[in-house]
Amino acid sequence: MQVTVVEARDLPEAWFLCLRKTLTEGREYAIERGSHVAHLRKELDFILLQVKHPGSRPLIPDVPSGVPAPSSMDYVENYLQYLITSFKADTEQYTYGEDLEYQLPELIRMYKEDGHNTNQGFMAVGSKESIVLSDPPCLRGIDTRVQNGQLHFILYFRSWDLWAGLPSNLAAIQLMKEYVASELGVDDGELIALSKGLHLYDYTWDLAKISSGLV
C-alpha cells in the first residue's frame, strides 16, 4: 500500500490538495459493496492529512463559478447535531452522536480533573454490531491530545467521501474541537486525519478536476 502524506495550512487547502492527490494518484476500481455499487472510485491507499491551522476561516472551500459547492456553513451547523447529540432520523442506521454524546462530557471531565498528560482521551464510534450494517459508520474514532497549551484531534475514517464528506466532516469536527478547547481553557490546535479509504466517486471527477485546477 502507498502511504500519502498531505500537510495543509487550513481546511480549504486540505480539500484542494487531497483532490489533486486522489485524482492523480488514486487507485481506480468498481465498487462491489457499499455506497454506489457498480460506480467507480478513485481512492488513495492510505492518507495521513495534517492541518496546521484548521480554525482559520473560512472552514468551507470556495469553488469556481458553475461548480456546486461541496458544503456550506448552514449545512455544517445542522450536521453538528449528529456529532454531539444522539438525535437520529427514522431513516438513519446510525449517527456519530449516538456514541459521542456520552463521551464528549467525559472527555472534558477527564482533562479538567485528571490533567492533560494522558493518552486516554479517545472517543470511539461504532460497535461490534457495526460490521453487519449495510452502511457502517465511516468515522470510527476521535483521539485527542492536549500539548503545549493546545488541543489536537486525531481522526480515523474507514471510508471517506472526499468531495462532500471531507469538507463537512472536518468543519463540524473543528467546531466541536473549538468548543472542547474553550471548556478546557486551552488554545485550538491541529487536526490530523487518517484513512485507508479517501475517495472520489466517478460522478464527481469532472467537478474535482475543475475545482483543483487540473483542467
Side-chain angles (χ1 to χ4, degrees):
M1 294 178 66
Q2 180 176 341
V3 177
T4 301
V5 179
V6 173
E7 182 178 313
R9 180 188 180 278
D10 53 28
L11 297 184
E13 183 181 58
W15 186 70
F16 290 120
L17 293 176
C18 287
L19 288 181
R20 283 177 166 264
K21 283 287 187 181
T22 305
L23 287 168
T24 58
E25 301 177 14
R27 175 175 69 99
E28 183 177 322
Y29 67 95
I31 303 164
E32 296 178 345
R33 176 187 167 105
S35 301
H36 307 291
V37 169
H39 277 270
L40 298 177
R41 283 186 183 134
K42 284 185 183 290
E43 184 171 272
L44 295 175
D45 287 347
F46 189 89
I47 186 169
L48 188 160
L49 170 63
Q50 182 178 23
V51 188
K52 293 285 195 175
H53 304 284
S56 297
R57 270 37 177 189
L59 299 180
I60 297 297
D62 290 326
V63 291
S65 177
V67 174
S71 187
S72 69
M73 283 309 299
D74 285 342
Y75 178 84
V76 167
E77 288 165 3
N78 181 67
Y79 175 70
L80 187 59
Q81 70 177 320
Y82 289 96
L83 284 175
I84 63 176
T85 77
S86 56
F87 170 78
K88 182 173 71 173
D90 293 339
T91 56
E92 293 169 330
Q93 293 188 41
Y94 70 89
T95 71
Y96 300 141
E98 287 182 300
D99 295 314
L100 296 176
E101 182 182 54
Y102 167 78
Q103 296 177 83
L104 194 59
E106 177 60 20
L107 176 79
I108 294 169
R109 185 210 63 77
M110 179 193 307
Y111 279 127
K112 279 186 172 181
E113 296 184 8
D114 301 332
H116 297 169
N117 293 327
T118 178
N119 283 330
Q120 295 186 355
F122 179 87
M123 298 184 290
V125 176
S127 67
K128 65 182 181 181
E129 286 81 22
S130 298
I131 191 70
V132 302
L133 295 177
S134 60
D135 185 23
C138 295
L139 173 67
R140 303 314 294 263
I142 300 178
D143 208 351
T144 69
R145 166 156 287 169
V146 179
Q147 183 172 316
N148 299 325
Q150 293 183 315
L151 173 66
H152 309 286
F153 271 16
I154 301 92
L155 322 171
Y156 180 74
F157 288 85
R158 64 154 188 89
S159 183
W160 205 4
D161 170 30
L162 171 52
W163 179 257
L166 183 150
S168 300
N169 296 149
L170 292 189
I173 290 171
Q174 173 59 26
L175 293 178
M176 181 172 71
K177 179 159 68 70
E178 291 173 4
Y179 162 71
V180 175
S182 68
E183 288 291 301
L184 299 181
V186 299
D187 293 331
D188 181 57
E190 298 182 12
L191 266 179
I192 297 173
L194 311 171
S195 180
K196 65 96 180 72
L198 183 66
H199 59 264
L200 288 166
Y201 293 109
D202 50 11
Y203 55 83
T204 68
W205 291 353
D206 288 341
L207 296 174
K209 289 175 184 176
I210 296 169
S211 299
S212 60
L214 291 178
V215 294

